[in-house]
Each structure stands twice: as structure tokens, then as C-alpha cells.
Amino acid sequence: MAKICIVLATYNGAQYLSQMLDSLMAQTRPADMIIAVDDGSKDSSPKILESYKDKLPLTVEIHEVNQGHRAAFSRTLELARTQLGPDDLIALADQDDIWLPNKLEILEKELSGSSLVFGDAEIIDGQGNVTAESWRVQGNIDINTTIRHQIAGINHVTGCLSLFRASLLDTVLPIPEGVTVHDRWIAMIAEKNGGIKAIPPKVIQYRIHGGNAVGGQGDTTMTKTIEIQNKWISTILDHKDLLKLSPEEVSFAERLLTLTQERLVAFVLPGQFCWVFKNRKYLFLRASFLKTFKRVLFTLVGLPMAKKIWRKE
């Protein structure tokens, strides 16, 4: 029987961490091992983790210095790789969610025929109140997302809702520095190595409380957003062979990188209109035609114009 390993990265998560660990204890299909890396927390997160070592099959590694979300999860997966075989399974965990009791049982049964399976979630607030019945509906998440969507930064696989095969780790690791969120990288690799399966059941209560490491956060500056996108697309192109991108997918990434690079320096980009409009279904979340058309037009606005007209930074 395949082993299931849960990997967890914590950082100043003491407020909700015990609730999350309690939900791991309540799983109808218990994990065979849990690997947690604390990424330089200044609160009691390390002590809470240590206090659960007698209750769960938990290994804890404490870092004195914060290295960031991507690096912390990359480390948990490196540790998992040393203890798992290719037929074993990995579940990603966030420090502030609550897992529904049958999460691992459902995902393990549904994984057959694919490399990664992911479910839906209820959304809860800091007090545990349900604020939305479906993360998928609330986030306007299309389960038919393609590699081109992923290249454009539209990810449909939320890590804490997923279970994937440990055989992917040899390709996933090391997670490149240009990867903005680890689950996006894992999803792209899974898509090209066995496929991804979306299932309807809710498997966790996904907590949005304003302090999440990822998810549910406010908009960053326009400059930062474009710079992050440039770095992400450049990383994809640097690893195009590893990601098994088709020539058409590479061409799409190259054209999108040119567009985002030009947006940093050009006032407007009218010459890009036809390409952006043609590829609008990959570049933007699903929306009405009018809303999508407005997004197309704004994509043709460069940072210098946005700063001058709308005082965007």
C-alpha cells in the first residue's frame, strides 16, 4: 500500500496551527508521515509543532532564519523525497486551514489514472465562520485550465487541496527561484507527466484571514506585478525542456514575455492588440465580453502611462 506523506511549512502560524494539526489527527485515512519545516518563526509555532510529535507521525525541522515560502516548501519536499518511493503520495498542507476528516481518503481513491488530484474547499474567516461554500466558485477557477493559462499566471490547482505522486519529485525539485508559488510549478509538471484530475468534493476549510502567506491577499503594485510575471515566464522558458513544452507553448511564452517586458518601458502597445485579443481566453480569468475587453485594453497600457494617468506605481 502506498504511503502518504504530508508536508507542511510554518511561519508565525501559532494562532491557527493547533486547529490544523488537530484536523490531521482526525483523518479517516491517517498519514503515514508528516514533515514540517518551520521557517524562522518568532512566535510559538516551533513549540506547537514539537508538542504534536507524540500525537502524529511528525518530523520537525526548525530554521533560525526565514528563507521564504518557496524555499521552505522546497525543503519539505526534499526531505520527503529521501523517505518515499515513486509509488508513494504527497499532500501539501498550509498552517491555518482545517482539513475535513475524509480529505486523504477521498483524494487517494480519486487519484487513479492521473498524477495529481485536487478537490474544492469551503472558505472560512479568522473565527472559523464559513464565508463562501466553494473556493472554486469564489475564485472563478476553471478546472479546464491549460498550460498556456499557467504560463500566463492563472493557476487552478491550490496545493492544500491536492494529492500527487512522489514520482514527480525528481522533476519538481529543486523548485527554481523564479517560481512564485510552489503549487503552480507542481501543477505544470503533473499536467505533462500523467495529468491532473479535478473532483467536486470539498476536502478542507480554507482559511482567508488577511495574513495568509499566499491566497486572499490584496493587489500588489503594478510594477511589482509585471516584474513578477517577467521572472515567472523567464523561468518557464529556462526550463522549457523539463516542462515538456510544445513549440506552440514556447512561442506563446516568448510572445507574452516580450509583451510584459515592453509594458515596463513603453507608454502604450497598440501593436500587441491582435495577439492579446486572440489569446484573451488564456490571459484572463473567465468574465463577460465587456470586462474581458477592458482587460485587453489595459494590458496594452505601459507602466509609464499608468503612472502618469492613474498614478499607479
Side-chain angles (χ1 to χ4, degrees), residues 66-219:
N66 179 263
Q67 298 177 27
H69 191 262
R70 179 203 58 80
F73 261 106
S74 186
R75 176 58 179 165
T76 65
L77 293 172
E78 291 281 8
L79 293 170
R81 180 163 59 169
T82 66
Q83 302 184 52
L84 298 176
D87 296 327
D88 294 327
L89 310 173
I90 297 174
L92 304 171
D94 291 341
Q95 64 189 7
D96 39 18
D97 300 325
I98 297 174
W99 286 23
L100 298 180
N102 57 356
K103 173 186 175 177
L104 291 179
E105 181 181 356
I106 289 174
L107 293 177
E108 184 178 30
K109 287 179 180 178
E110 293 286 352
L111 183 61
S112 178
S114 58
S115 289
L116 183 151
V117 61
F118 69 103
D120 198 357
E122 294 179 337
I123 302 177
I124 59 174
D125 61 17
Q127 289 70 49
N129 302 309
V130 176
T131 59
E133 294 295 330
S134 169
W135 167 245
R136 201 170 283 169
V137 172
Q138 181 79 2
N140 196 21
I141 296 169
D142 186 350
I143 61 173
N144 297 312
T145 298
T146 67
I147 292 294
R148 294 192 192 195
H149 287 95
Q150 292 280 10
I151 292 169
I154 299 174
N155 180 35
H156 64 318
V157 176
T158 304
C160 58
L161 306 179
S162 67
L163 184 73
F164 65 93
R165 300 188 186 279
S167 57
L168 295 177
L169 289 180
D170 286 341
T171 307
V172 166
L173 297 171
I175 301 177
E177 290 188 10
V179 171
T180 50
V181 186
H182 62 284
D183 50 15
R184 181 181 297 171
W185 179 250
I186 294 169
M188 291 188 74
I189 290 170
E191 183 67 51
K192 291 288 191 173
N193 294 272
I196 291 172
K197 182 180 181 181
I199 59 172
K202 300 175 182 67
V203 294
I204 72 167
Q205 291 185 314
Y206 186 44
R207 195 187 302 271
I208 302 294
H209 53 83
N212 302 69
V214 293
Q217 300 186 58
D219 294 334

Side-chain angles (χ1 to χ4, degrees), residues 130-303:
V130 176
T131 59
E133 294 295 330
S134 169
W135 167 245
R136 201 170 283 169
V137 172
Q138 181 79 2
N140 196 21
I141 296 169
D142 186 350
I143 61 173
N144 297 312
T145 298
T146 67
I147 292 294
R148 294 192 192 195
H149 287 95
Q150 292 280 10
I151 292 169
I154 299 174
N155 180 35
H156 64 318
V157 176
T158 304
C160 58
L161 306 179
S162 67
L163 184 73
F164 65 93
R165 300 188 186 279
S167 57
L168 295 177
L169 289 180
D170 286 341
T171 307
V172 166
L173 297 171
I175 301 177
E177 290 188 10
V179 171
T180 50
V181 186
H182 62 284
D183 50 15
R184 181 181 297 171
W185 179 250
I186 294 169
M188 291 188 74
I189 290 170
E191 183 67 51
K192 291 288 191 173
N193 294 272
I196 291 172
K197 182 180 181 181
I199 59 172
K202 300 175 182 67
V203 294
I204 72 167
Q205 291 185 314
Y206 186 44
R207 195 187 302 271
I208 302 294
H209 53 83
N212 302 69
V214 293
Q217 300 186 58
D219 294 334
T220 187
T221 65
M222 183 174 174
T223 303
K224 188 68 173 177
T225 298
I226 297 174
E227 288 175 345
I228 290 172
Q229 190 174 27
N230 280 336
K231 190 173 183 181
W232 166 244
I233 301 168
S234 295
T235 299
I236 289 172
L237 289 170
D238 288 344
H239 297 83
K240 61 185 178 183
D241 293 333
L242 181 72
L243 291 168
K244 300 181 180 178
L245 297 186
S246 69
E248 294 77 17
E249 289 162 349
V250 171
S251 177
F252 176 83
E254 290 173 340
R255 185 66 182 268
L256 183 57
L257 180 60
T258 297
L259 170 65
T260 57
Q261 289 174 335
E262 289 179 351
R263 290 191 76 196
L264 287 173
V265 295
F267 214 67
V268 290
L269 295 88
Q272 296 279 14
F273 174 80
C274 290
W275 185 85
V276 174
F277 185 79
K278 179 181 177 181
N279 290 278
R280 63 192 184 278
K281 68 177 181 179
Y282 303 118
L283 298 174
F284 312 111
L285 292 172
R286 291 177 300 175
S288 67
F289 179 81
L290 180 59
K291 190 171 185 177
T292 300
F293 191 71
K294 289 179 179 179
R295 289 172 175 170
V296 169
L297 294 180
F298 185 72
T299 302
L300 305 177
V301 174
L303 185 61

